[in-house]
Amino acid sequence: MSVTAITETRQYLTFKLDDEVFAVDVAKVREILELTSITKVPQTPQFMRGVINLRGSVVPVVDLRLKFGMSETAPTVDTCIIVVEVAHEHETLILGALADSVQEVFEMEPGQVEPAPRIGTKLNTDFILGMGKHDGQFIMILDIDRTFTSDELATAGSVSGEAA
């Protein structure tokens, strides 16, 4: 989905990774959990922190800071897991995404969202749906369905399937 596909006012959940503010469409968010014990799964990518038990279901947890080339998320009292639905090959995968803190939910008009910046030709910014501005601050709006590659999502799907 591109920023031109945003034709109506949408609600976004904002969260922090390091000092940067990101947002994801509320429609993609299932719930927000306090940080809990994460079981490491061997031979998975570094950003794949492991799995959690969510009411009897195995949910893979990813560290978005590592995925985006930042330092590993250090647990604090504000660290949480945002459980999101990700569309992958005609099915919906449930993933947990570590965030330093959750900020707020707010509405954004289509006119408040600008296209993602093009930073050279070698950097892939397809996972950034657009740039929003809220309270004088830029917010990177993620297209959560495009944040992970097919291979990464296949690994996450197999991790949750194997652990079950």
Side-chain angles (χ1 to χ4, degrees), residues 41-82:
V41 178
Q43 309 226 355
T44 54
Q46 185 179 5
F47 68 85
M48 185 85 55
R49 293 289 292 271
V51 295
I52 59 170
N53 178 347
L54 182 61
R55 292 182 293 285
S57 296
V58 177
V59 175
V61 177
V62 297
D63 190 333
L64 287 177
R65 284 176 60 138
L66 289 176
K67 173 66 178 156
F68 296 154
M70 301 173 177
S71 61
E72 184 174 314
T73 299
T76 69
V77 69
D78 293 326
T79 305
C80 58
I81 300 172
I82 302 170

Side-chain angles (χ1 to χ4, degrees), residues 91-152:
E91 65 177 312
T92 301
L93 292 176
I94 305 302
L95 285 179
L98 283 175
D100 292 337
S101 64
V102 168
Q103 301 296 291
E104 64 180 313
V105 172
F106 65 91
E107 288 186 348
M108 200 175 285
E109 303 282 336
Q112 293 176 279
V113 181
E114 297 179 24
R118 293 287 165 213
I119 309 169
T121 56
K122 296 205 188 270
L123 293 177
N124 179 4
T125 57
D126 289 346
F127 63 92
I128 300 175
L129 181 60
M131 298 293 290
K133 198 167 186 181
H134 183 66
D135 291 339
Q137 184 175 28
F138 276 116
I139 299 169
M140 284 175 264
I141 302 171
L142 299 179
D143 182 343
I144 201 69
D145 294 334
R146 299 180 82 179
T147 300
F148 303 96
T149 67
S150 289
D151 288 346
E152 291 167 347

